[in-house]
Amino acid sequence: MPLHDRIFGHFQASAQIKLDAAGALVPAIEQAVRHMVHCLAQGGKILACGNGGSAADAQHFAAHMINRFEQERPGLAAIALTADTATLTSIANDFAYDQVFARQVKALGQPGDLLLAISSSGNSPSVLQAVAAAHARSMPVIALTGNGGGVLGEQMQEDDVFLSVPAESAARIHEVHMLAIHCLCDAVDSVLLGVEE
């Protein structure tokens, strides 16, 4: 296959999975936005976690909340649990890697806060432990996952929001996750600024 065609194929596949996912994800994204707005309006904060590309997604989300997305507004309370290397490495060294987010949730999370848990497979032990810690602290969870959701899907409770991209390719899942994050940021801003209801 010519390289040009291979690259063009990625564009086509990315566009198609986004269109295919819209029907399932749009109502869940709207529900997640309502949770986030309620959390922030009540003085809560959003904690975000994930590994690898999902760690970058967690930081990307938190940056848009704390600084801004596309509209000017005061900063919103969000913490990427992936960003503090001293904390991450001390927990991994002294306990186990699967506790790197859970211990932070236990220390920083309060009832009324919210956890944004990102795992393309839904099977990341550190993310699963963070979800369990959030539930123990009466924190709702918004899960961004794919390919059926794995174990993470099984952990969801009544107040949680489950966003599972209907794809197997990790690349396609991450691409839809980024779009979902941008939708979350835009919609939160629109509701808080009175642009949308």
Side-chain angles (χ1 to χ4, degrees), residues 7 15 17 58 86 95 111 114 134 154 183 187:
I7 294 167
I17 189 58
F95 296 94
L114 188 149
E154 298 169 10
C183 289

Side-chain angles (χ1 to χ4, degrees), residues 3-189:
L3 190 56
H4 175 276
D5 292 349
R6 184 179 186 87
I7 294 167
F8 189 76
H10 285 297
F11 275 85
Q12 287 183 311
S14 182
Q16 190 61 56
I17 189 58
K18 288 171 184 164
L19 291 172
D20 292 345
L25 296 185
V26 168
I29 291 171
E30 183 176 358
Q31 184 183 5
V33 168
R34 304 280 180 211
H35 276 52
M36 288 181 171
V37 168
H38 178 76
C39 167
L40 295 166
Q42 300 300 314
K45 60 189 172 295
I46 302 169
L47 307 179
C49 67
N51 294 286
S54 298
D57 289 346
Q59 290 174 225
H60 187 89
F61 170 80
H64 283 317
M65 289 287 103
I66 293 169
N67 184 26
R68 67 182 199 108
F69 183 55
E70 292 184 327
Q71 301 181 64
E72 296 298 334
R73 49 119 172 103
L76 302 172
I79 301 170
L81 303 180
T82 57
D84 184 342
T85 54
T87 296
L88 291 171
T89 56
S90 68
I91 295 169
N93 184 65
D94 294 350
F95 296 94
Y97 187 82
D98 70 355
Q99 295 298 308
V100 295
F101 304 133
R103 287 186 69 83
Q104 292 184 76
V105 170
K106 291 172 186 175
L108 302 171
Q110 299 294 327
D113 291 345
L114 188 149
L115 176 68
L116 175 62
I118 310 171
S119 171
S120 58
S121 68
N123 295 317
S124 171
S126 59
V127 174
L128 298 175
Q129 292 292 331
V131 169
H135 286 154
R137 297 194 67 73
S138 300
M139 294 169 54
V141 173
I142 295 170
L144 265 178
T145 185
N147 196 20
V151 178
L152 184 54
E154 298 169 10
Q155 280 188 292
M156 294 293 94
Q157 296 182 353
E158 185 177 349
D159 289 338
D160 297 335
V161 181
F162 184 56
L163 297 158
S164 181
V165 179
E168 295 180 7
S169 164
R172 300 291 88 86
I173 293 167
H174 282 290
E175 289 160 8
V176 179
H177 282 183
M178 184 55 63
L179 176 59
I181 286 168
H182 286 165
C183 289
L184 290 167
C185 293
D186 174 71
V188 166
D189 283 1

